[in-house]
Amino acid sequence: MNYDAFIVPPGSKISLKKNYDPAYKTDFYQKIDALTKLKADIERLANFQNILYAQNTYALLIIFQAMDAAGKDSTIKHVMSGVNPQGFQVFSFKGPSAEELDHDYLWRTTKALPERGRIGIFNRSYYEEVLVVRVHQEMLRKQQLPKFPQGNQIWEQRFQEINNFEKYLVDNGVIILKFFLNVSKSEQKKRFLQRIETPEKNWKFSANDVRERAFWNDYMDAYQEVFNHTSTKSAPWYIIPADRKWFTRLVVADIICTKLQELNLKYPIVSEEHKQQLLEAKRILEQED
């Protein structure tokens, strides 16, 4: 799959509204085609995960950011349905606790990073500190910063800190994939209404979700700033169309599989000594009654 339509070129200045269509899908894929390919990619991902775990050299960190009802949870559920739970972990980051506010803003996510050989998913992440906090700047006052920065200084500072942090992770074997699930405001409204009208989905809906819609344009501006400042060569952003969930899952799965394939993962080479031990173990087993 060609990712030019989804990736934010490092160093560029994009327009989220003009350059990325939430309803986009390729001409080739229809829903039935997507389901077939997704099934194949789920199997590929399971195989890549086995080798990733055995090689124990890299970790894969997948970050999902989106507006409410964009499909983060369902994308994780479907795309990762074939992986071994022993090598996979998901962390969801909501409003910080009192303990977390007593630390720097990267602390709570840093301690949740995946170990080598494992796949970790952040359902929201440290990017909330330049998104929701930027839209609701009164939150900064709760962070007990030694000096309250003026104007845009704090956001520029945090963009640089995040870029440095991600470069450090990549240099140390943590591969980062960053996905923004780009849902339209009209599609979000439709999904909110479905949650209200479907009893089994009522639990998913919060009155605060509707209140946040009033800040839609502010969030879009904040996201655009994030993409323009933190899509880097080592950790670019992928803006995934999210108005069609089947297409969202297709693209996310394909990108994850492609990235793992690019790592040229291989099972560890067994030493001659280990091979002899295997032969001896085989001999003993075959001699058993």
Side-chain angles (χ1 to χ4, degrees), residues 11 19 81 102 114 152 205 221 236 241 248 257:
N19 302 141
S81 60
D102 275 338
N152 289 327
F205 185 77
D221 290 342
T248 303
C257 286

Side-chain angles (χ1 to χ4, degrees), residues 146-248:
K147 182 179 179 181
F148 198 86
Q150 301 297 314
N152 289 327
Q153 179 185 349
I154 188 169
W155 315 121
E156 295 170 0
Q157 173 183 311
R158 287 187 173 183
F159 291 149
Q160 189 59 54
E161 290 166 348
I162 288 171
N163 288 341
N164 291 340
F165 176 64
E166 291 180 345
K167 178 67 163 55
Y168 166 80
L169 292 180
V170 172
D171 287 346
N172 284 274
V174 181
I175 307 304
I176 302 173
L177 288 175
K178 302 186 297 194
F179 297 116
F180 171 63
L181 304 191
N182 186 26
V183 69
S184 65
K185 192 175 183 181
S186 59
E187 179 64 21
Q188 187 197 57
K189 177 182 177 180
K190 176 182 174 182
R191 294 178 187 179
F192 278 168
L193 289 172
Q194 288 176 341
R195 290 181 179 183
I196 294 171
E197 295 165 357
T198 308
E200 311 90 77
K201 294 184 178 182
N202 285 172
W203 65 273
K204 286 186 172 184
F205 185 77
S206 167
N208 189 60
D209 294 340
V210 172
R211 287 193 290 268
E212 286 298 284
R213 274 176 63 85
F215 301 97
W216 182 276
N217 291 336
D218 294 330
Y219 274 110
M220 293 301 102
D221 290 342
Y223 268 112
Q224 185 169 289
E225 285 293 293
V226 164
F227 302 144
N228 286 337
H229 289 87
T230 64
S231 190
T232 62
K233 183 178 180 180
S234 56
W237 273 102
Y238 294 88
I239 300 178
I240 311 299
D243 278 8
R244 295 180 175 89
K245 290 185 178 181
W246 59 266
F247 188 72
T248 303

Side-chain angles (χ1 to χ4, degrees), residues 38-39 41-43 45-46 62 64 72-83 88 121 179 245-246 248-257:
L38 177 60
K39 182 179 178 181
D41 281 343
I42 288 172
E43 294 176 359
L45 179 54
I62 304 171
F64 284 99
K72 298 189 305 301
D73 292 344
S74 64
T75 298
I76 295 169
K77 176 182 176 181
H78 283 80
V79 171
M80 309 306 291
S81 60
V83 302
F88 169 61
I121 288 184
F179 297 116
K245 290 185 178 181
W246 59 266
T248 303
R249 298 162 188 166
L250 167 75
V251 176
V252 168
D254 190 274
I255 292 173
I256 294 173
C257 286

